[in-house]
Short mmCIF file of all heavy atoms in Angstrom, two decimals:
data_model
loop_
_atom_site.label_atom_id
_atom_site.label_comp_id
_atom_site.label_asym_id
_atom_site.label_seq_id
_atom_site.Cartn_x
_atom_site.Cartn_y
_atom_site.Cartn_z
N ASP A 209 -11.52 6.59 7.78
CA ASP A 209 -12.35 7.53 8.54
C ASP A 209 -13.45 6.83 9.33
O ASP A 209 -13.84 7.29 10.40
CB ASP A 209 -13.00 8.55 7.59
CG ASP A 209 -12.02 9.62 7.13
OD1 ASP A 209 -11.06 9.88 7.87
OD2 ASP A 209 -12.22 10.19 6.05
N SER A 210 -13.97 5.74 8.79
CA SER A 210 -15.18 5.14 9.36
C SER A 210 -14.90 3.99 10.32
O SER A 210 -15.63 3.81 11.30
CB SER A 210 -16.08 4.63 8.24
OG SER A 210 -16.42 5.66 7.34
N PHE A 211 -13.86 3.20 10.05
CA PHE A 211 -13.73 1.95 10.80
C PHE A 211 -12.36 1.73 11.43
O PHE A 211 -12.25 1.54 12.64
CB PHE A 211 -14.04 0.76 9.87
CG PHE A 211 -15.38 0.86 9.19
CD1 PHE A 211 -15.46 1.17 7.84
CD2 PHE A 211 -16.55 0.65 9.91
CE1 PHE A 211 -16.68 1.26 7.21
CE2 PHE A 211 -17.78 0.74 9.28
CZ PHE A 211 -17.85 1.05 7.93
N PHE A 212 -11.29 1.74 10.63
CA PHE A 212 -10.02 1.18 11.09
C PHE A 212 -8.97 2.21 11.48
O PHE A 212 -8.00 1.86 12.16
CB PHE A 212 -9.45 0.27 10.00
CG PHE A 212 -10.40 -0.79 9.55
CD1 PHE A 212 -10.94 -0.76 8.27
CD2 PHE A 212 -10.79 -1.81 10.40
CE1 PHE A 212 -11.83 -1.74 7.86
CE2 PHE A 212 -11.68 -2.78 9.99
CZ PHE A 212 -12.21 -2.75 8.72
N GLY A 213 -9.10 3.45 11.05
CA GLY A 213 -8.07 4.44 11.32
C GLY A 213 -7.00 4.42 10.25
O GLY A 213 -6.83 3.43 9.52
N ASN A 214 -6.24 5.51 10.16
CA ASN A 214 -5.26 5.66 9.09
C ASN A 214 -4.11 4.66 9.19
O ASN A 214 -3.69 4.07 8.20
CB ASN A 214 -4.69 7.08 9.11
CG ASN A 214 -5.74 8.12 8.81
OD1 ASN A 214 -6.51 7.98 7.88
ND2 ASN A 214 -5.77 9.18 9.61
N PHE A 215 -3.59 4.49 10.40
CA PHE A 215 -2.42 3.64 10.56
C PHE A 215 -2.70 2.21 10.11
O PHE A 215 -1.89 1.60 9.40
CB PHE A 215 -1.97 3.66 12.03
CG PHE A 215 -0.68 2.93 12.28
CD1 PHE A 215 0.54 3.58 12.13
CD2 PHE A 215 -0.69 1.59 12.65
CE1 PHE A 215 1.74 2.89 12.35
CE2 PHE A 215 0.50 0.90 12.87
CZ PHE A 215 1.71 1.56 12.71
N SER A 216 -3.83 1.68 10.52
CA SER A 216 -4.16 0.30 10.16
C SER A 216 -4.36 0.14 8.66
O SER A 216 -3.92 -0.85 8.06
CB SER A 216 -5.43 -0.15 10.90
OG SER A 216 -5.24 -0.12 12.30
N VAL A 217 -5.02 1.12 8.03
CA VAL A 217 -5.26 1.05 6.60
C VAL A 217 -3.95 1.09 5.83
O VAL A 217 -3.75 0.34 4.86
CB VAL A 217 -6.19 2.20 6.15
CG1 VAL A 217 -6.22 2.33 4.62
CG2 VAL A 217 -7.60 1.97 6.67
N ILE A 218 -3.02 1.95 6.26
CA ILE A 218 -1.72 2.04 5.59
C ILE A 218 -0.94 0.74 5.75
O ILE A 218 -0.35 0.23 4.78
CB ILE A 218 -0.91 3.23 6.14
CG1 ILE A 218 -1.58 4.55 5.78
CG2 ILE A 218 0.53 3.20 5.60
CD1 ILE A 218 -0.96 5.75 6.45
N ALA A 219 -0.94 0.19 6.95
CA ALA A 219 -0.19 -1.04 7.20
C ALA A 219 -0.71 -2.19 6.34
O ALA A 219 0.06 -2.91 5.69
CB ALA A 219 -0.26 -1.41 8.68
N VAL A 220 -2.03 -2.37 6.32
CA VAL A 220 -2.63 -3.45 5.53
C VAL A 220 -2.43 -3.21 4.03
O VAL A 220 -2.11 -4.13 3.28
CB VAL A 220 -4.12 -3.60 5.87
CG1 VAL A 220 -4.78 -4.62 4.95
CG2 VAL A 220 -4.31 -4.02 7.32
N SER A 221 -2.60 -1.96 3.60
CA SER A 221 -2.43 -1.64 2.18
C SER A 221 -1.00 -1.90 1.73
O SER A 221 -0.76 -2.39 0.62
CB SER A 221 -2.79 -0.18 1.92
OG SER A 221 -4.15 0.07 2.22
N SER A 222 -0.04 -1.58 2.59
CA SER A 222 1.36 -1.82 2.26
C SER A 222 1.64 -3.31 2.09
O SER A 222 2.43 -3.71 1.23
CB SER A 222 2.28 -1.24 3.34
OG SER A 222 2.12 0.16 3.43
N LEU A 223 0.96 -4.12 2.89
CA LEU A 223 1.11 -5.56 2.74
C LEU A 223 0.54 -6.03 1.40
O LEU A 223 1.11 -6.92 0.75
CB LEU A 223 0.42 -6.29 3.90
CG LEU A 223 1.06 -6.12 5.27
CD1 LEU A 223 0.24 -6.82 6.35
CD2 LEU A 223 2.48 -6.67 5.27
N PHE A 224 -0.58 -5.45 0.98
CA PHE A 224 -1.14 -5.75 -0.34
C PHE A 224 -0.13 -5.40 -1.43
O PHE A 224 0.06 -6.16 -2.39
CB PHE A 224 -2.45 -5.00 -0.56
CG PHE A 224 -3.66 -5.68 0.00
CD1 PHE A 224 -4.40 -5.09 1.01
CD2 PHE A 224 -4.06 -6.91 -0.49
CE1 PHE A 224 -5.52 -5.72 1.53
CE2 PHE A 224 -5.18 -7.55 0.02
CZ PHE A 224 -5.91 -6.96 1.05
N SER A 225 0.49 -4.23 -1.30
CA SER A 225 1.49 -3.81 -2.29
C SER A 225 2.65 -4.80 -2.35
O SER A 225 3.12 -5.15 -3.44
CB SER A 225 2.02 -2.41 -1.95
OG SER A 225 1.03 -1.43 -2.11
N LEU A 226 3.11 -5.24 -1.18
CA LEU A 226 4.21 -6.19 -1.14
C LEU A 226 3.83 -7.51 -1.81
O LEU A 226 4.61 -8.09 -2.58
CB LEU A 226 4.65 -6.43 0.31
CG LEU A 226 5.34 -5.27 1.01
CD1 LEU A 226 5.68 -5.63 2.44
CD2 LEU A 226 6.59 -4.86 0.26
N MET A 227 2.62 -7.99 -1.52
CA MET A 227 2.17 -9.24 -2.15
C MET A 227 2.08 -9.08 -3.66
O MET A 227 2.46 -9.98 -4.42
CB MET A 227 0.82 -9.67 -1.55
CG MET A 227 0.91 -10.18 -0.13
SD MET A 227 -0.64 -10.92 0.45
CE MET A 227 -1.72 -9.47 0.49
N GLY A 228 1.57 -7.92 -4.10
CA GLY A 228 1.48 -7.67 -5.53
C GLY A 228 2.84 -7.64 -6.20
O GLY A 228 3.03 -8.21 -7.28
N LEU A 229 3.80 -6.97 -5.55
CA LEU A 229 5.14 -6.88 -6.12
C LEU A 229 5.87 -8.23 -6.09
O LEU A 229 6.66 -8.54 -7.00
CB LEU A 229 5.96 -5.83 -5.37
CG LEU A 229 5.69 -4.38 -5.76
CD1 LEU A 229 6.44 -3.43 -4.83
CD2 LEU A 229 6.08 -4.13 -7.20
N ILE A 230 5.60 -9.03 -5.06
CA ILE A 230 6.20 -10.36 -5.02
C ILE A 230 5.69 -11.21 -6.19
O ILE A 230 6.47 -11.90 -6.87
CB ILE A 230 5.90 -11.04 -3.66
CG1 ILE A 230 6.68 -10.35 -2.54
CG2 ILE A 230 6.27 -12.53 -3.71
CD1 ILE A 230 6.29 -10.82 -1.15
N LEU A 231 4.37 -11.16 -6.44
CA LEU A 231 3.81 -11.88 -7.58
C LEU A 231 4.38 -11.35 -8.89
O LEU A 231 4.69 -12.12 -9.82
CB LEU A 231 2.29 -11.76 -7.59
CG LEU A 231 1.49 -12.81 -6.82
CD1 LEU A 231 0.00 -12.53 -6.95
CD2 LEU A 231 1.82 -14.21 -7.31
N PHE A 232 4.50 -10.02 -8.97
CA PHE A 232 5.07 -9.41 -10.18
C PHE A 232 6.52 -9.85 -10.38
O PHE A 232 6.97 -10.07 -11.51
CB PHE A 232 4.96 -7.89 -10.08
CG PHE A 232 5.10 -7.18 -11.40
CD1 PHE A 232 4.46 -7.64 -12.53
CD2 PHE A 232 5.87 -6.03 -11.51
CE1 PHE A 232 4.58 -6.99 -13.74
CE2 PHE A 232 6.01 -5.37 -12.71
CZ PHE A 232 5.35 -5.85 -13.83
N MET A 233 7.23 -9.98 -9.27
CA MET A 233 8.62 -10.44 -9.33
C MET A 233 8.68 -11.86 -9.88
O MET A 233 9.56 -12.21 -10.68
CB MET A 233 9.24 -10.38 -7.93
CG MET A 233 10.74 -10.63 -7.90
SD MET A 233 11.65 -9.27 -8.67
CE MET A 233 13.33 -9.83 -8.43
N PHE A 234 7.74 -12.71 -9.45
CA PHE A 234 7.67 -14.06 -10.00
C PHE A 234 7.42 -14.03 -11.50
O PHE A 234 8.02 -14.80 -12.27
CB PHE A 234 6.56 -14.87 -9.30
CG PHE A 234 6.93 -15.33 -7.92
CD1 PHE A 234 5.96 -15.41 -6.93
CD2 PHE A 234 8.23 -15.68 -7.60
CE1 PHE A 234 6.28 -15.84 -5.66
CE2 PHE A 234 8.57 -16.11 -6.32
CZ PHE A 234 7.59 -16.18 -5.35
N THR A 235 6.53 -13.14 -11.92
CA THR A 235 6.22 -13.02 -13.34
C THR A 235 7.45 -12.63 -14.14
O THR A 235 7.66 -13.10 -15.26
CB THR A 235 5.10 -11.96 -13.55
OG1 THR A 235 3.93 -12.37 -12.85
CG2 THR A 235 4.77 -11.81 -15.02
N VAL A 236 8.27 -11.76 -13.55
CA VAL A 236 9.46 -11.27 -14.25
C VAL A 236 10.56 -12.32 -14.28
O VAL A 236 11.28 -12.45 -15.29
CB VAL A 236 9.97 -9.98 -13.57
CG1 VAL A 236 11.34 -9.59 -14.11
CG2 VAL A 236 8.98 -8.85 -13.78
N THR A 237 10.71 -13.08 -13.20
CA THR A 237 11.87 -13.96 -13.06
C THR A 237 11.61 -15.41 -13.45
O THR A 237 12.56 -16.14 -13.76
CB THR A 237 12.39 -13.93 -11.61
OG1 THR A 237 11.32 -14.29 -10.72
CG2 THR A 237 12.89 -12.54 -11.25
N VAL A 238 10.35 -15.85 -13.42
CA VAL A 238 10.04 -17.24 -13.76
C VAL A 238 9.58 -17.32 -15.22
O VAL A 238 8.51 -16.82 -15.56
CB VAL A 238 8.94 -17.79 -12.82
CG1 VAL A 238 8.61 -19.25 -13.18
CG2 VAL A 238 9.38 -17.69 -11.36
N PRO A 239 10.37 -17.94 -16.10
CA PRO A 239 10.03 -17.98 -17.53
C PRO A 239 8.67 -18.60 -17.83
O PRO A 239 7.98 -18.18 -18.77
CB PRO A 239 11.17 -18.81 -18.13
CG PRO A 239 12.31 -18.64 -17.18
CD PRO A 239 11.67 -18.56 -15.83
#
């Protein structure tokens, strides 16, 4: 609402989610 607009916030947040899931994937697959 204040700075970046909805589209930009969703795009950046989705990238955070992807990075988090990639790290989680490493945790699951790397003994």
Side-chain angles (χ1 to χ4, degrees):
D209 283 335
S210 303
F211 306 107
F212 306 112
N214 296 313
F215 186 87
S216 298
V217 168
I218 293 172
V220 174
S221 298
S222 298
L223 291 177
F224 276 116
S225 292
L226 291 179
M227 288 189 293
L229 280 174
I230 290 172
L231 271 181
F232 198 43
M233 189 69 178
F234 284 146
T235 299
V236 170
T237 57
V238 180

